[in-house]
Amino acid sequence: MSLKIERDQRRFRQIVRGKVRENLKKYVSHGEMIGRKNKDLVSIPIPQLDVPRFRFGDNGNGGVGQGEGEEGTPVGKGGKERPGGPGEAGSDPGGGHLLEVDMTLEELADILGDALELPNIQPKGTASIEQDKAKYNSIRSTGPESLRHKKRTYLKALKRQISTGSYEPDEPRVTPIKGDQQYRSWTTISKPEVNAAVIYMMDVSGSMTDEQKQIVRTAAFWIDTWLAQQYGGIETRYIIHDAAAKAVDEHTFYHTRESGGTRISSAYKVCAQIIEEELPPADWNLYVFQFSDGDNWGEDNERAFNILREKIIPHVNLYCYGQVESPYGSGEYLGNLEGRFGDEYDTLVTAEMEDRDAIYEAIRTFLGTGR
């Protein structure tokens, strides 16, 4: 019975994965799963999975193609229509229910990688750390009392008493002695860990609306999901800017709106400082994602490009610039960026995100490099 249940569970998971992959572009574009995300799981709304069966009509009421009526007459159950309204409330259940299924972020990353044909990332250089970890996987007869294994201790004492004939079934009593004591033991293993960090930068000036921020948030969710699966976990930093920049937490990053002008170089300065002081490139695989509507103070472009060339691009696995279309932004920065750097760096990737539907292809563009 257990084997049949496990087989059915595997089959159900395969069906769910197929449904998620079939509707992946919709999930990516609409950001439906962000609010359902826990630490390791995300709840995914999928259409109700029903077992196929015949549906019978009401006896005596006829069916399609039977009874009176003219060509073009709507077919449905009888009943009088309420004058001036949509009719009385129905009593039958609807057929459009959604089922929420929990899926791990790792499973979601696998589906994303398969659908977008993303290559696995090759970590750069020596950015790996050997970390010693204790694994409790054996038992020994000596050790600290805090690690005493009570169940095994009493089991050994019971075996001893039975073998020596001192155990009395009518008055069961197990008394461990010193030789019965059992303790949990461990072995130290070296587990290689590859460190990865993502730095997000976003323009929060008055020209960036809530819709543009939601596009950024949705894109960041999928970027984090993929990179975390590739590296086994990531560190994340957030930078917001208008004419001035500062490092903030995730909530502030997505819920701040300023009214000032825009100087992108201020964000690059903070980014370069974080890399230098907190995330040395020798120890980290670094990813920088910048999102803006393309507005920047004209005189600031040169300063921004110099910082980008000297202090950011040479130290990162990938620098991605995503330009989110805004009704208020000029959109000129993307053209200026591509005009200045062209194909000089294969670690620099750009994408335009006109609306939510463009998120899917932008993610493919950003992560399809395999860096």
Side-chain angles (χ1 to χ4, degrees), residues 164-176:
T164 59
S166 60
Y167 180 75
E168 299 181 6
D170 295 334
E171 295 183 11
R173 179 179 300 175
V174 178
T175 306

Side-chain angles (χ1 to χ4, degrees), residues 38-62:
N38 295 320
K39 182 178 179 182
D40 299 313
L41 295 173
V42 63
S43 293
I44 301 175
I46 63 175
Q48 182 76 42
L49 303 177
D50 290 327
V51 177
R53 62 183 184 274
F54 289 106
R55 297 179 184 272
F56 299 98
D58 297 332
N59 293 333
N61 284 350

Side-chain angles (χ1 to χ4, degrees), residues 67-255:
E68 300 178 355
E70 301 293 335
E71 182 177 346
T73 301
V75 177
K77 290 188 176 182
K80 295 182 180 180
E81 186 177 322
R82 176 188 293 177
E88 297 181 358
S91 60
D92 296 331
H97 299 298
L98 291 177
L99 175 71
E100 284 200 356
V101 178
D102 286 340
M103 179 172 286
T104 66
L105 293 175
E106 187 171 349
E107 288 179 297
L108 202 58
D110 287 337
I111 295 173
L112 179 70
D114 290 342
L116 296 181
E117 299 180 342
L118 300 178
N120 288 326
I121 291 174
Q122 297 297 324
K124 67 171 185 176
T126 59
S128 62
I129 296 175
E130 292 283 340
Q131 184 173 359
D132 291 337
K133 291 190 174 182
K135 184 177 182 180
Y136 291 91
N137 55 5
S138 61
I139 299 293
R140 61 184 180 183
S141 57
T142 59
E145 284 300 304
S146 60
L147 293 180
R148 185 158 65 95
H149 199 301
K150 294 182 180 179
K151 184 177 180 180
R152 286 179 177 267
T153 295
Y154 277 87
L155 181 61
K156 186 173 182 180
L158 176 62
K159 289 179 179 179
R160 175 183 53 78
Q161 290 181 209
I162 291 175
S163 65
T164 59
S166 60
Y167 180 75
E168 299 181 6
D170 295 334
E171 295 183 11
R173 179 179 300 175
V174 178
T175 306
I177 62 176
K178 185 176 181 180
D180 297 327
Q181 302 295 339
Q182 299 288 289
Y183 300 88
R184 297 171 63 204
S185 183
W186 70 92
T187 55
T188 302
I189 58 175
S190 294
K191 184 178 180 181
E193 293 188 352
V194 180
N195 282 358
V198 184
I199 302 175
Y200 289 106
M201 296 183 287
M202 182 168 64
D203 175 10
V204 294
S205 62
S207 58
M208 285 283 285
T209 67
D210 291 339
E211 174 65 16
Q212 277 70 56
K213 290 178 186 176
Q214 184 59 41
I215 291 174
V216 173
R217 187 181 187 187
T218 303
F221 168 82
W222 290 98
I223 291 169
D224 285 349
T225 299
W226 175 251
L227 292 179
Q229 188 255 15
Q230 292 287 296
Y231 285 105
I234 55 174
E235 287 285 328
T236 311
R237 300 290 188 272
Y238 298 94
I239 300 170
I240 59 174
H241 75 93
D242 49 8
K246 59 183 176 181
V248 297
D249 59 27
E250 182 179 8
H251 181 271
T252 305
F253 184 78
Y254 291 117
H255 297 88

Side-chain angles (χ1 to χ4, degrees), residues 5 32 42 69 74 80 190 293 302 320:
I5 293 174
E32 293 182 353
V42 63
K80 295 182 180 180
S190 294
D293 60 4
E302 194 64 31
C320 297

Side-chain angles (χ1 to χ4, degrees), residues 24-32 34 112 116 118 211-223 291 322-324 351-367:
L24 183 63
K25 188 170 183 179
K26 183 191 77 171
Y27 293 137
V28 171
S29 301
H30 295 176
E32 293 182 353
I34 296 177
L112 179 70
L116 296 181
L118 300 178
E211 174 65 16
Q212 277 70 56
K213 290 178 186 176
Q214 184 59 41
I215 291 174
V216 173
R217 187 181 187 187
T218 303
F221 168 82
W222 290 98
I223 291 169
F291 297 95
Q323 186 154 294
V324 186
E352 289 189 80
M353 303 163 70
E354 298 87 358
D355 51 30
R356 297 192 185 203
D357 291 335
I359 298 174
Y360 191 79
E361 287 303 323
I363 293 173
R364 189 201 302 270
T365 301
F366 289 156
L367 303 179

Side-chain angles (χ1 to χ4, degrees), residues 297-317:
W297 184 258
E299 299 176 358
D300 187 61
N301 282 352
E302 194 64 31
R303 186 180 299 108
F305 294 153
N306 288 337
I307 299 174
L308 195 60
R309 183 191 298 275
E310 297 173 6
K311 298 185 177 182
I312 297 180
I313 293 182
H315 304 303
V316 301
N317 291 40

